[in-house]
C-alpha cells in the first residue's frame, strides 16, 4: 500500500518557506536577485491566476513585468501539476516566452525541479519557486534545495473542494511545524 504523502512532505523543516507574502508582487525581484537567485519559477493556479483561469490575474500583471525586467523571460519558468493537454495549451498561450515544465511527474517530486535546473543550466541554489500550496510547491522547492516563497491564493473562492480542505490541513500543520522551529 502506497502512502498518500511522500517522505519529504512529512519532514517538518520542508514546510517552512523562505518567504511568506500575500502575493509575489510583495517581494521585489531585486531582493531575490541580490540573494543570488538567477531564475524564478511560478506555480500557475492561485499564484498567477484563479484556479484553472485562462488569463493572468489583473492584480499581478505589473509585478510579473518587473520580474521579466530583472530576470528576463528566458529565466522564468512555469511549473504546474497539469492534468490535461487542453490546460497545457492554455498555459503555452498565456506564457509564450516562459519555460513550462513537461515532466509527467508532479510536485513535490524532484523531477519537475530537476527539469527546470537542466533547462536553465542552473544549480538549485540559484532558483526560487513561488507557490500557494505548502504540500506541493513549498515542500518540493525546499526538498530540491531551491529558495521557496509561499503566496496566498489569488482567488480562493475558485478553489475546488479538495484544495480548500488541503489549505485547512496545511494551516494546522504549518502552525505545528513553525512552533517546532
Amino acid at each position: 500500500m502506497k502512502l498518500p504523502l511522500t517522505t519529504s512532505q512529512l519532514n517538518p523543516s520542508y514546510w517552512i518557506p523562505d518567504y511568506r507574502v500575500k502575493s509575489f508582487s510583495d517581494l521585489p525581484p531585486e531582493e531575490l536577485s541580490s540573494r543570488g537567485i538567477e531564475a524564478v519559477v511560478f506555480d500557475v493556479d492561485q499564484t498567477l491566476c484563479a484556479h484553472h483561469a485562462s488569463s493572468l490575474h489583473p492584480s499581478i500583471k505589473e509585478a510579473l513585468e518587473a520580474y521579466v525586467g530583472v530576470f528576463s523571460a528566458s529565466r522564468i519558468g512555469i511549473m504546474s501539476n497539469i492534468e490535461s493537454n487542453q490546460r497545457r495549451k492554455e498555459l503555452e498561450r498565456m506564457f509564450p516566452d516562459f519555460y513550462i515544465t513537461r515532466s509527467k511527474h508532479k510536485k513535490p517530486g524532484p523531477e519537475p525541479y530537476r527539469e527546470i535546473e537542466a533547462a536553465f543550466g542552473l544549480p538549485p541554489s540559484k532558483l526560487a519557486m513561488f507557490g500557494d500550496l505548502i504540500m506541493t510547491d513549498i515542500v518540493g522547492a525546499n526538498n530540491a534545495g531551491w529558495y521557496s516563497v509561499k503566496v496566498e491564493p489569488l482567488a480562493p473562492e475558485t478553489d475546488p473542494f479538495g484544495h480548500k480542505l488541503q489549505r485547512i490541513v496545511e494551516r494546522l500543520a504549518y502552525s505545528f511545524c513553525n512552533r517546532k522551529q
Side-chain angles (χ1 to χ4, degrees), residues 28-34 37-38 64-73 75-76:
E30 296 82 5
E31 178 151 347
L32 290 176
S33 180
S34 73
I37 299 299
E38 295 180 19
L64 189 57
E65 290 171 6
Y67 272 81
V68 170
V70 170
F71 294 103
S72 87
R75 290 295 179 135
I76 296 178

Side-chain angles (χ1 to χ4, degrees), residues 66-135:
Y67 272 81
V68 170
V70 170
F71 294 103
S72 87
S74 65
R75 290 295 179 135
I76 296 178
I78 301 294
M79 187 185 304
S80 182
N81 286 345
I82 299 169
E83 294 285 335
S84 71
N85 286 334
Q86 178 183 351
R87 182 65 174 154
R88 173 172 297 287
K89 287 177 183 172
E90 284 178 351
L91 296 182
E92 289 169 349
R93 182 190 52 74
M94 290 168 65
F95 308 106
D97 299 325
F98 299 166
Y99 182 85
I100 300 172
T101 56
R102 292 173 174 26
S103 176
K104 299 214 183 304
H105 300 279
K106 295 183 178 186
K107 302 172 286 180
E111 295 87 358
Y113 296 89
R114 300 302 172 239
E115 178 187 337
I116 291 272
E117 292 164 14
F120 290 163
L122 293 172
S125 63
K126 300 292 183 184
L127 289 141
M129 174 71 185
F130 287 82
D132 65 300
L133 291 171
I134 291 174
M135 291 175 66

